[in-house]
Structure formats: C-alpha cells, structure tokens
Amino acid sequence: MFPLENCEDIEHAKIDLHMHSTYSDGVKTPEELIKMRAEQGIEVAAVTDHDGTDGVPEALAAGEKYGVRVLTGIELGTLLEKKYELHILGYCFDTQNAVLKGEIDKIREYRDGRNRRLLRVFQDKGIPITWEDLMQHPNQEYIGKPNFALAFERMGYVKSVQEAFDSPEFLACPESIALKKMAVDSLEGVSWITGAGGYAVWAHPMELKSPLDKKSPEYRAIIEGIAKTLKQSGLAGIECWHPSADREDSLWLEGLARELGLFRTKGTDYHGLR
Ligand SMILES: [Zn+2]
Ligand SMILES: [Zn+2]
C-alpha cells in the first residue's frame, strides 16, 4: 500500500517525496539529503533523480540510519501526445525490474550521444568545457543540460544556473535548443513504473507550459484532461504540493485528485541550488 493512502492532511504532513541528488543535478548526496530531512522532522522521503536510480541504495541506507521511511524513487522526463512535456515520478518500484532498467539504459545511451554533441557546440564556440566538468559525482548516471549550466556557473561564465539556461550564448543558443532529449512517451513511462510494481505520480502539473493564464478555466481544463488520460494508463497520484503551485492551486489539485481517485503527494523538488 502506498504510505500516503490514508493521509488526510497532505499540506502539513511531514513528507518530501521529491528531491534530486548528486546522481542527477542536485548538489547534495542522497545521504546528505536524507540526513537534512531527518533533522527537519520529515518522516517519509524519496530521492527522485532524473531518469536513473543509482542513488536509491544510498538513500535507503540513509533512511535506516537516520530513522526516515525512504521510498525508492525516480523522475522520468516524458512527452504526452508529442506536445506536453510531463515529468512522471515513480515510487516503491523494483529497481531491478528488467524492463525499467532496459528503458533507463536506452535513455542514458541517447543522452550520452546528445551530451557529446552539445559539448562540441560549446567547444566550437571556444569554451574549454570537457566531459569531466559535467560530472558532480564519480559514478554519476545522469548528465543533462542542468549539468552544463552548473559547469558554466562553476567556471565563472554565468552567475547562476538560470542565467546559463536563459543566455543565448549558452543553453539558449539555437544549436543547444535543437539538441533535445529522447522523447519518452508519458503513457509508456507510467507503464514502466507500474510494471515494476510501483506507483506513478504526475509531478508538478502547474509547470505545464502554456500561453494560457495558469488561473484560467482553460488551463485547468488541460490539466484535468491530462490527469484523466494518465489515470487511464495507470497513474496512481498527483503531486499537489510543489513550489510551482500556490496554496490555491494545490487545493484545486487535491480536489482533482480526489475526484479521479488518485493519491495526493507533496515534494519540494529540492536541488540544493540557491
Ligand atoms: Zn520535474
Ligand atoms: Zn524534480
């Protein structure tokens, strides 16, 4: 059973089911994250690195050590109907499941090729960035554009990760924008997690990109439609509480989740960045 199934007050529950470690683009190790949350009184936590689970064993061991119930976690970058970029969180799944592992390997191979091309783009511009600059951890499984941004910040080219993403000299240059990540279908992503015995949760719905006003009925209707589509494919929950949603949005998302019979979850999406 999902640990929050009977939790009524998610807003005040001592949980954080969304954190990133050095195994993806966070700056703290899984152990540091769990220790920090334990000190803050968090009772249930998950490290949900992008498209990989290599940090999970360390997070689970830290949970034992610091007395926090740690769930296995992952955050998959996916695309619904070839137009909506959705992040799908997975919890309580078997990290050794062959299908899930195989798909994560495919994503990683694709990303490696993309990253090598992206490195060349910046090297051709005269920036001496190397593969090593992208690594935050010796066995890092995930390298993505955020790692390029962190490297540019460390190298002193930009003042912040956000600046690296916004600058036409760096990640906002046309060559960089053209190099996209592998388009994993959202419904497949949900099925990999449920197939591995886990629960799939739609992360931060309010981050859905749209020209519409986020408070408008039209925007909310899109969110509702997506939630219904995902639910038909086995979605178990919605991340109702996340920094991208204000209290009103969160309560609205809770209402939607209840209406559709989905779990409600909460996460900080902590990366350890300023
Ligand atoms: Zn996300
Ligand atoms: Zn995240």
Side-chain angles (χ1 to χ4, degrees), residues 18 75 84-89 201-210 214 219-220 222-227 230 235 237-246 249-250 252-254 256-257 262-267 269:
H18 193 160
E75 182 174 29
Y84 298 119
E85 271 183 43
L86 309 181
H87 287 180
I88 303 293
L89 293 158
V201 170
W202 181 14
H204 47 67
M206 300 310 291
E207 278 192 5
L208 185 78
K209 287 192 195 97
S210 164
K214 301 215 165 180
Y219 183 81
R220 289 187 169 181
I222 295 174
I223 302 266
E224 206 174 319
I226 291 172
L230 294 174
L235 188 80
I238 295 179
E239 188 180 48
C240 299
W241 297 84
H242 178 273
S244 61
D246 64 21
D249 296 330
S250 297
W252 175 73
L253 287 169
E254 282 212 32
L256 177 64
L262 297 167
F263 303 143
R264 297 153 293 130
T265 74
K266 175 168 74 176
D269 214 348

Side-chain angles (χ1 to χ4, degrees), residues 31-165:
E31 174 161 358
E32 287 168 340
L33 289 170
I34 299 301
K35 179 170 185 278
M36 175 180 74
R37 289 296 184 244
E39 286 164 2
Q40 293 165 345
I42 292 290
E43 292 164 358
V44 188
V47 173
T48 50
D49 279 313
H50 296 287
D51 305 322
T53 59
D54 281 0
V56 166
E58 195 182 317
L60 294 174
E64 295 275 316
K65 189 168 162 187
Y66 298 106
V68 177
R69 177 158 182 201
V70 174
L71 314 181
T72 54
I74 192 168
E75 182 174 29
L76 296 171
T78 73
L79 201 59
L80 181 68
E81 294 158 5
K82 297 197 166 55
K83 60 179 170 185
Y84 298 119
E85 271 183 43
L86 309 181
H87 287 180
I88 303 293
L89 293 158
Y91 300 110
C92 307
F93 53 88
D94 172 14
T95 54
Q96 299 308 309
N97 177 270
V99 174
L100 180 65
K101 275 181 82 166
E103 296 296 344
I104 290 172
D105 281 347
K106 272 192 242 167
I107 296 171
R108 186 186 330 182
E109 268 171 45
Y110 185 92
R111 206 170 46 212
D112 276 359
R114 194 279 310 255
N115 287 337
R116 289 187 195 286
R117 288 198 294 278
L118 197 54
L119 267 181
R120 198 152 325 122
V121 165
F122 295 113
Q123 286 162 350
D124 289 349
K125 288 176 184 284
I127 299 166
I129 184 170
T130 66
W131 190 263
E132 284 65 42
D133 294 319
L134 303 174
M135 304 280 282
Q136 304 203 82
H137 189 279
N139 302 312
Q140 190 171 332
E141 187 187 358
Y142 169 94
I143 294 176
K145 284 184 179 174
N147 299 97
F148 281 80
L150 284 165
F152 292 136
E153 187 193 26
R154 269 199 307 274
M155 294 164 86
Y157 285 103
V158 291
K159 289 196 181 64
S160 67
V161 163
Q162 195 56 47
E163 188 187 335
F165 271 103

Side-chain angles (χ1 to χ4, degrees), residues 213-234:
D213 174 3
K214 301 215 165 180
K215 298 286 182 193
S216 68
E218 293 81 7
Y219 183 81
R220 289 187 169 181
I222 295 174
I223 302 266
E224 206 174 319
I226 291 172
K228 283 181 182 159
T229 303
L230 294 174
K231 152 112 195 193
Q232 281 168 4
S233 292

